[in-house]
């Protein structure tokens, strides 16, 4: 399954690490555009300039780890698409251009199901999507989550539980399944 990942899924660290970890385990094929990656890098600026540097380093790593994931659409191709928020049209266009099956986003209202269906796309929520992957490959998803938990504890100095960490990361159903 090819899934276009919206910037709002890449920006929160734990969510991104869970999604990308599952992609690295070959559970699905991730897709993004240069514009989506740039949105992520710009979003972290509010946390300070050092965070932008870290995000750009992670973007470089993603591009190296997934060389076929980036889909770029010429601006001239955007005009045929419509979404309630014109700033999201590039995500839809990239998903169509990249022959994706779904768009992973937290912004349900900006990606109406009927509009996506006209393009042959599903809208998937990260929590529901990862929970589905857990149902298909529980050991793999649990392994990814265990690695994310270890890293979250190391970076934060907090003794996170799996359920608590994933709940805070807006992945509560996955956290419950893994607890």
């Amino acid at each position: 399954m090819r899934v276009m990942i919206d910037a709002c899924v890449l920006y929160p660290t734990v969510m991104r690490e869970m999604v990308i970890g599952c992609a690295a385990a070959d559970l699905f094929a991730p897709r993004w555009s240069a514009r989506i990656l740039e949105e992520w890098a710009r979003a972290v600026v509010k946390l300070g300039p050092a965070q932008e540097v870290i995000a750009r380093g992670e973007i470089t790593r993603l591009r190296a780890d997934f060389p076929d994931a980036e889909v770029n659409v010429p601006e001239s191709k955007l005009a045929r698409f419509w979404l309630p928020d014109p700033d999201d049209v590039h995500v839809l266009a990239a998903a169509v251009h990249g022959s994706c099956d779904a768009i992973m986003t937290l912004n349900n209202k900006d990606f109406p199901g009927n509009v996506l269906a006209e393009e042959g796309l599903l809208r998937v929520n990260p929590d529901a999507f990862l929970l589905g992957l857990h149902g298909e490959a529980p050991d793999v998803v649990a392994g990814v989550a265990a690695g994310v938990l270890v890293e979250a504890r190391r970076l934060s100095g907090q003794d996170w539980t799996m359920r608590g960490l994933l709940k805070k990361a807006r992945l509560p159903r996955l956290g419950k399944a893994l607890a």
Side-chain angles (χ1 to χ4, degrees), residues 112-132:
N114 62 327
V115 174
L116 297 185
E118 290 174 8
E119 300 294 343
L121 293 163
L122 298 171
R123 180 188 64 229
V124 296
N125 172 282
D127 191 30
F129 184 77
L130 292 170
L131 187 61

Side-chain angles (χ1 to χ4, degrees), residues 59-117:
I59 288 168
T60 299
R61 181 183 54 108
L62 278 181
R63 285 178 163 148
D65 290 348
F66 299 94
D68 299 326
E70 196 160 311
V71 176
N72 290 301
V73 181
E75 288 290 320
S76 62
K77 302 282 185 185
L78 299 181
R80 97 160 184 80
F81 298 99
W82 177 88
L83 285 173
D85 183 349
D87 289 338
D88 287 322
V89 167
H90 70 96
V91 178
L92 174 58
V96 170
H97 192 73
S99 300
C100 291
D101 302 295
I103 295 175
M104 184 183 299
T105 187
L106 295 165
N107 298 327
N108 293 345
K109 70 178 179 59
D110 293 337
F111 293 92
N114 62 327
V115 174
L116 297 185

